[in-house]
Amino acid sequence: MDAVPESTAQLLSNAIGYLSLACWVVVMFPQILLNYRRKSGEGVNLLMMIAWVLGDIFNIAGALMQDLVLSTILIGSYYLLVDSTLLSQTLYYRLVYKAHRTKTQGGAGTDEEGQLLDSSSEPQPAAGEQQQHEQSNQSEQGEQQQEEVTAWYHSHQLADFIGVVLSVASVGCLV
């Protein structure tokens, strides 16, 4: 079997490398979008995100110290931006947004006096009916969130797999 000419191998390696880069560039968007839609940062491991951000910082610092090509520095900067966005979003939804929602839901309508002062004309359901209604809503929301997480997981898992395969294939073409 004849060996692939070097120029063809280099071209194939470059193409696979760019496909790999394209997969890695979009890999975090499904999680960021899911967090935004759910208004929640649950399910994102904070230690992992902190490690990624630190890794990105060290990657950029090393690239600058070694005078690597500009594209390497720009890609590292992009990853730092995306990872920092996900970390910030997660912290925001877990701390600020959650506290704000708790504070605003703790206002009128949560105690007897608030219910008396509430200007809505809707009759209030009995305590048992309201609890069943809230449990039903929470169950439906939980099922919907689980479906979104499952869909995100499968798309994220596929993008990760494709990125790894393309990276290995790119290196394999050079060897």
Side-chain angles (χ1 to χ4, degrees):
M1 183 177 215
D2 292 330
V4 178
E6 190 171 320
S7 61
T8 305
Q10 185 65 37
L11 183 64
L12 184 59
S13 175
N14 286 342
I16 292 173
Y18 286 125
L19 286 172
S20 173
L21 180 62
C23 289
W24 285 110
V25 162
V26 299
V27 77
M28 296 305 285
F29 288 136
Q31 183 66 49
I32 291 170
L33 183 61
L34 181 64
N35 287 355
Y36 173 75
R37 286 182 178 162
R38 291 187 325 184
K39 303 289 187 237
S40 171
E42 298 305 315
V44 176
N45 187 312
L46 284 178
L47 289 177
M48 178 190 71
M49 291 309 310
I50 292 168
W52 279 5
V53 168
L54 289 174
D56 294 336
I57 291 169
F58 294 137
N59 185 18
I60 294 168
L64 290 170
M65 291 166 65
Q66 291 292 317
D67 242 358
L68 295 181
V69 294
L70 180 62
S71 61
T72 302
I73 296 167
L74 292 176
I75 290 169
S77 300
Y78 170 77
Y79 286 133
L80 177 61
L81 175 71
V82 172
D83 292 344
S84 296
T85 299
L86 183 58
L87 177 61
S88 300
Q89 182 189 46
T90 301
L91 290 172
Y92 171 78
Y93 284 131
R94 286 191 186 176
L95 304 174
V96 178
Y97 185 78
K98 189 174 185 177
H100 174 73
R101 282 196 57 161
T102 302
K103 184 177 177 183
T104 57
Q105 289 176 349
T110 59
D111 59 2
E112 290 180 350
E113 182 181 350
Q115 289 175 1
L116 291 174
L117 297 176
D118 190 5
S119 61
S120 69
S121 59
E122 294 181 22
Q124 297 293 323
E129 291 175 17
Q130 184 173 358
Q131 185 178 12
Q132 285 178 338
H133 180 69
E134 288 174 2
Q135 287 174 346
S136 174
N137 282 344
Q138 288 174 352
S139 175
E140 289 172 11
Q141 288 174 350
E143 289 173 9
Q144 181 182 3
Q145 285 179 352
Q146 182 61 38
E147 289 172 8
E148 290 174 359
V149 168
T150 301
W152 170 85
Y153 177 75
H154 289 298
S155 67
H156 188 266
Q157 191 177 31
L158 178 61
D160 279 349
F161 177 74
I162 291 170
V164 169
V165 167
L166 290 174
S167 296
V168 170
S170 177
V171 170
C173 286
L174 291 175
V175 173

